[in-house]
Amino acid sequence: MAQRILVVEDEAFIAFYLDSVLTDAGYEVIGPVDDARVAMRLAAEERPDLALMDIRLKGDVDGVFATRHLVLELGVPVVVVSANAPQSLDDLRPLTSHILGKPIASEELVATVRDALAA
């Protein structure tokens, strides 16, 4: 059974890219979703093995809040994939050591996902 990854990304092209790379690497993708509240609800329902999280998302909740919820409340590990990650590092460091900046190469994404799942 393939490991399941929730993709939370508000840019359609990047969401498609993440979905394609992960599917090609043998993972089952949940989503993608572009809203943090939807992501939190979906994570509670689906219990993914991992989530990929952007920081800036549609709606009134950001990816830092959603990451905190997934990690602390649901026990879902998170890999942050964001062009805005450096601005949020202090908030994210206690939650995850897996923070990737955009753009990201497919090889780096898959290697980071494997590492996060093995942790």
Side-chain angles (χ1 to χ4, degrees):
M1 179 178 235
Q3 291 176 299
R4 302 168 72 226
I5 301 175
L6 172 63
V7 174
V8 187
E9 171 60 57
D10 67 336
E11 294 182 42
F13 178 78
I14 295 172
F16 176 77
Y17 170 75
L18 296 172
D19 186 332
S20 296
V21 169
L22 294 170
T23 300
D24 288 348
Y27 298 104
E28 179 185 336
V29 174
I30 302 169
V33 297
D34 62 3
D35 180 282
R37 289 191 190 278
V38 173
M40 291 185 296
R41 185 178 70 246
L42 192 57
E45 293 169 1
E46 297 289 332
R47 296 297 184 169
D49 298 298
L50 180 76
L52 292 185
M53 182 73 64
D54 190 8
I55 298 298
R56 291 191 182 164
L57 298 164
K58 292 183 179 178
D60 61 337
V61 176
D62 68 6
V64 174
F65 183 90
T67 295
R68 186 174 293 110
H69 179 78
L70 267 63
V71 171
L72 299 178
E73 301 297 324
L74 302 176
V76 176
V78 174
V79 172
V80 173
V81 181
S82 178
N84 302 302
Q87 299 158 344
S88 304
L89 282 179
D90 290 340
D91 293 329
L92 292 168
R93 275 196 188 108
L95 303 170
T96 181
S97 59
H98 299 95
I99 302 171
L100 300 171
K102 292 178 189 172
I104 181 170
S106 59
E107 299 83 12
E108 183 180 12
L109 174 63
V110 172
T112 301
V113 165
R114 284 187 184 134
D115 185 52
L117 286 166

